[in-house]
Amino acid sequence: MQVNRELFNAVMVPNYNPSDIIPVKGLGATVWDQNGTEYIDFAGGIAVNCLGHCHPALVNALKEQGEKLWHLSNVMTNEPALRLAKKLTDATFAEKVYFANSGAEANEAALKLARRFALDNYGADKTQIISFNKGFHGRTFFTVTVGGQAAYSDGFGPKPADITHVDYNDLAALEAIMSDNTCAVMMEPLQGEGGIIAPTNEFVKGVRALCDKHNALLIFDEVQTGVGRTGDLYAYQGLNVTPDILTTAKALGGGFPIGAMLTTTEIAAHLKVGTHGSTYGGNPLACAVAEAAFDTVNTAEVLNGVKQKEQLIRAGLMAINDKFDVFSEIRGKGLLLGAVLNERFKGQSRDFLVASNKHGLMSLVAGTDVVRFTPSLVISDKEIVEGLARFEKAVAEVVANKG
Ligand SMILES: *Cc1c(COP(=O)(O)O)cnc(C)c1O
């Protein structure tokens, strides 16, 4: 059997259009493909591989738990899930945890909980969910409808109702549509997929105040920002604004699928026995790996390292820009960084990604105008320097092709 990109077209549903490169092995922030070609990984599996590839702590946790117990279902609880939940609650505002298998599922749980909380406390009219244009919350029908790009939720029949969008950082617009019928506001504390857009201090504080005023729950989707990505364990801690519900996934498992919804005891009480669930959610294998990832990331050494590595990457990108004049701005926080293409290169982010691949670097885009970097939080300085050198070659090529 020839296992190649052609086979993808033959046997896979065409909802993705992956690169021709098929990686087969990774170590740290370095990856090798079927031909033995080496890549520096500045993509991190879209902000998932927080400890790079095959980190010994994760491999050990997987092996150890793999020889003990994989799965039970929620008919019984298990030690890794309880330990991980304890650590998540000790490290955050939250007092209760619900485990899921992905970011979308964690958000689905958050939205269902918010609706039920509002119904129980304030009656059947309090259903409005407000979220933000360009926001991304996953691909289940509820979460994709809450997401801020209608194109992703169009064409699947009637959508979940009473969901409204306004512009991110537009507090006046939010205030204008909010009322006592608002059930919840869902937002990313730094928009990832939408283009690496940070909230202003005034905005995020204002959203919290409006939620308090109207008894609406504030849901922070930290699926991309969580578990050290921004240099804080969770981004809300750096903003000094505490949500009522927080969702986390991606980096939580370091590459093993897991998601979680965190909230307070008072709010959690409304997901009573039988109201929601998941067969795999909180499975011992996923929780054991996530516990190892969480323990490793939640240290001063790793979190401070994120801030240092951010500076190194920013400086490298600025130096490239001094030579080639392609970016208008480097934005983002920690190791969730976006190089915003200037007027001349607008709409061309994919060209930079393709050129990066060609020169041995894995990068990402966030929309058509932003090249995104979300490497391992423990990427070595050596890999950063080498990755930047390769990115410089990629930039040179895109600029040369432009003529
Ligand atoms: C990736 C992402 C999701 C969706 O997570 P999945 O695991 O793909 O379901 C939700 N919200 C944000 C902010 C994300 O970045």
Side-chain angles (χ1 to χ4, degrees), residues 300-322:
E301 186 194 344
V302 170
L303 296 175
N304 290 334
V306 168
K307 291 164 196 154
Q308 283 157 11
K309 291 169 204 302
E310 172 187 3
Q311 293 318 314
L312 194 55
I313 295 177
R314 276 182 179 273
L317 292 173
M318 300 295 266
I320 291 170
N321 201 36
D322 285 345

Side-chain angles (χ1 to χ4, degrees), residues 147-321:
Q149 275 188 281
Y152 291 165
S153 56
D154 289 345
F156 297 104
K159 298 183 189 187
D162 208 8
I163 296 165
T164 313
H165 300 92
V166 296
D167 281 347
Y168 199 70
N169 278 330
D170 189 343
L171 194 59
L174 179 66
E175 184 164 22
I177 58 159
M178 239 174 134
S179 74
D180 288 346
N181 286 338
T182 304
C183 159
V185 174
M186 181 177 247
M187 66 182 279
E188 295 159 84
L190 190 161
Q191 286 192 330
E193 303 298 314
I196 317 294
I197 301 164
T200 64
N201 197 38
E202 182 207 1
F203 177 67
V204 74
K205 293 224 151 73
V207 175
R208 177 70 270 179
L210 285 170
C211 285
D212 291 342
K213 179 177 165 198
H214 294 292
N215 294 316
L217 296 182
L218 177 56
I219 305 170
F220 272 7
D221 176 347
E222 293 230 30
V223 170
Q224 189 152 169
T225 53
V227 194
R229 180 58 51 193
T230 64
D232 292 299
L233 182 64
Y234 283 98
Y236 86 86
Q237 294 162 329
L239 294 171
N240 289 314
V241 170
T242 303
D244 301 297
I245 301 176
L246 179 153
T247 56
T248 176
K250 290 204 165 101
L252 182 61
F256 202 100
I258 184 170
M261 176 192 73
L262 279 56
T263 189
T264 64
T265 300
E266 186 200 346
I267 297 167
H270 295 264
L271 274 192
K272 294 190 177 67
V273 172
T275 50
H276 192 57
S278 159
T279 297
Y280 281 124
N283 131 327
L285 202 49
C287 290
V289 177
E291 185 190 1
F294 192 79
D295 283 344
T296 309
V297 170
N298 191 22
T299 58
E301 186 194 344
V302 170
L303 296 175
N304 290 334
V306 168
K307 291 164 196 154
Q308 283 157 11
K309 291 169 204 302
E310 172 187 3
Q311 293 318 314
L312 194 55
I313 295 177
R314 276 182 179 273
L317 292 173
M318 300 295 266
I320 291 170
N321 201 36

Side-chain angles (χ1 to χ4, degrees), residues 24-268:
V24 293
K25 185 171 134 54
L27 191 65
T30 307
V31 170
W32 293 268
D33 72 8
Q34 289 175 316
N35 307 317
T37 305
E38 180 200 285
Y39 300 86
I40 299 292
D41 185 1
F42 276 11
I46 315 188
V48 166
N49 302 320
C50 56
L51 297 171
H53 299 274
C54 295
H55 189 284
L58 302 190
V59 173
N60 285 340
L62 184 65
K63 279 188 182 160
E64 241 178 62
Q65 190 60 39
E67 289 173 351
K68 275 192 202 154
L69 186 69
W70 289 22
H71 178 78
L72 290 163
S73 91
N74 287 296
V75 173
M76 291 190 180
T77 188
N78 67 79
E79 290 181 358
L82 295 173
R83 280 201 304 264
L84 178 59
K86 177 77 170 96
K87 289 176 180 180
L88 285 166
T89 54
D90 282 350
T92 65
F93 75 95
E95 297 156 328
K96 292 286 195 291
V97 178
Y98 166 83
F99 285 119
N101 310 290
S102 66
E105 283 178 62
N107 285 334
E108 184 83 18
L111 292 165
K112 284 179 72 178
L113 172 56
R115 282 270 177 84
R116 183 57 65 94
F117 178 83
L119 177 71
D120 289 349
N121 285 311
Y122 304 101
D125 291 336
K126 196 174 176 69
T127 55
Q128 184 191 42
I129 289 164
I130 303 175
S131 55
F132 299 94
N133 293 324
K134 294 188 176 171
F136 184 77
H137 302 296
R139 296 286 200 153
T140 65
F141 205 19
F142 199 170
T143 59
V144 80
T145 308
V146 172
Q149 275 188 281
Y152 291 165
S153 56
D154 289 345
F156 297 104
K159 298 183 189 187
D162 208 8
I163 296 165
T164 313
H165 300 92
V166 296
D167 281 347
Y168 199 70
N169 278 330
D170 189 343
L171 194 59
L174 179 66
E175 184 164 22
I177 58 159
M178 239 174 134
S179 74
D180 288 346
N181 286 338
T182 304
C183 159
V185 174
M186 181 177 247
M187 66 182 279
E188 295 159 84
L190 190 161
Q191 286 192 330
E193 303 298 314
I196 317 294
I197 301 164
T200 64
N201 197 38
E202 182 207 1
F203 177 67
V204 74
K205 293 224 151 73
V207 175
R208 177 70 270 179
L210 285 170
C211 285
D212 291 342
K213 179 177 165 198
H214 294 292
N215 294 316
L217 296 182
L218 177 56
I219 305 170
F220 272 7
D221 176 347
E222 293 230 30
V223 170
Q224 189 152 169
T225 53
V227 194
R229 180 58 51 193
T230 64
D232 292 299
L233 182 64
Y234 283 98
Y236 86 86
Q237 294 162 329
L239 294 171
N240 289 314
V241 170
T242 303
D244 301 297
I245 301 176
L246 179 153
T247 56
T248 176
K250 290 204 165 101
L252 182 61
F256 202 100
I258 184 170
M261 176 192 73
L262 279 56
T263 189
T264 64
T265 300
E266 186 200 346
I267 297 167

